[in-house]
Amino acid sequence: MKNTGIWMDKEKAYIIDIKENNEDMITIFSEIEDYRIHGGSGTRFKGGPQDVVQDSKYLEREKNQFKAYFKKIIPHIENADMIVIYGPAEAGKKFNKELAENYKDIGNKVKAVLKADSMTENQIKALIRDYFKNQEQQII
């Protein structure tokens, strides 16, 4: 049985495969731009020209970058029997939604999407190992 845990945020994803007593970990980096919308006055005078900020353009580009990021992760988790997703922000929820909508066979393997703050690689491995150990104990 191959259990897979994913710790992800907007910047990178750690994928840990646990099979029997072996652990393999790979890191996948996203290429999601970290943008800040700059708008407001283009002059120091009150009532001067204003920059028009196209929020929808940025959000659409970010959405497409998330989809590309998720597509890079999919091949690494296709063969998993059980999947758990951790992360500090909304990336895990977005990834789970993408799996449920467009990759139903993989999405059905997701057992939980849980919040977890930033951690070291060893802490991430331990967190995922403990999750699956607890799952096994509940089954027995």
Side-chain angles (χ1 to χ4, degrees):
M1 183 165 211
K2 182 179 170 184
N3 296 326
T4 300
I6 304 167
W7 184 96
M8 69 186 322
D9 62 9
K10 198 173 174 180
E11 191 179 306
K12 64 186 164 287
Y14 294 107
I15 301 171
I16 295 96
D17 289 325
I18 301 171
K19 190 172 183 180
E20 294 159 16
N21 289 330
N22 291 343
E23 289 178 14
D24 293 321
M25 183 166 118
I26 61 167
T27 305
I28 296 177
F29 291 94
S30 77
E31 295 172 11
I32 298 172
E33 297 172 42
D34 189 25
Y35 69 89
R36 278 189 228 137
I37 298 170
H38 299 287
S41 179
T43 179
R44 61 187 170 103
F45 300 111
K46 186 176 182 178
Q50 300 290 312
D51 293 334
V52 177
V53 178
Q54 296 295 326
D55 233 7
S56 60
K57 259 197 286 188
Y58 290 110
L59 293 175
E60 189 63 29
R61 184 166 50 193
E62 183 184 56
K63 187 171 121 181
N64 290 331
Q65 289 170 350
F66 263 110
K67 284 189 178 281
Y69 175 38
F70 297 156
K71 280 184 182 178
K72 290 194 311 189
I73 296 171
I74 297 294
H76 299 284
I77 64 171
E78 285 177 322
N79 299 326
D81 295 315
M82 284 182 16
I83 300 170
V84 63
I85 302 169
Y86 283 98
E90 298 298 313
K93 289 180 182 176
K94 287 181 181 181
F95 184 54
N96 188 40
K97 183 178 177 187
E98 176 74 11
L99 290 175
E101 290 175 1
N102 299 319
Y103 303 92
K104 290 185 188 341
D105 53 331
I106 299 171
N108 292 334
K109 298 175 185 179
V110 175
K111 301 303 173 196
V113 179
L114 305 167
K115 290 264 186 195
D117 288 330
S118 295
M119 303 177 170
T120 65
E121 291 180 13
N122 287 333
Q123 288 173 325
I124 293 168
K125 285 180 185 178
L127 179 73
I128 291 169
R129 196 178 325 115
D130 290 346
Y131 176 84
F132 287 116
K133 209 175 276 185
N134 288 338
Q135 290 298 309
E136 289 173 12
Q137 289 174 357
Q138 289 178 3
I139 293 171
I140 296 174

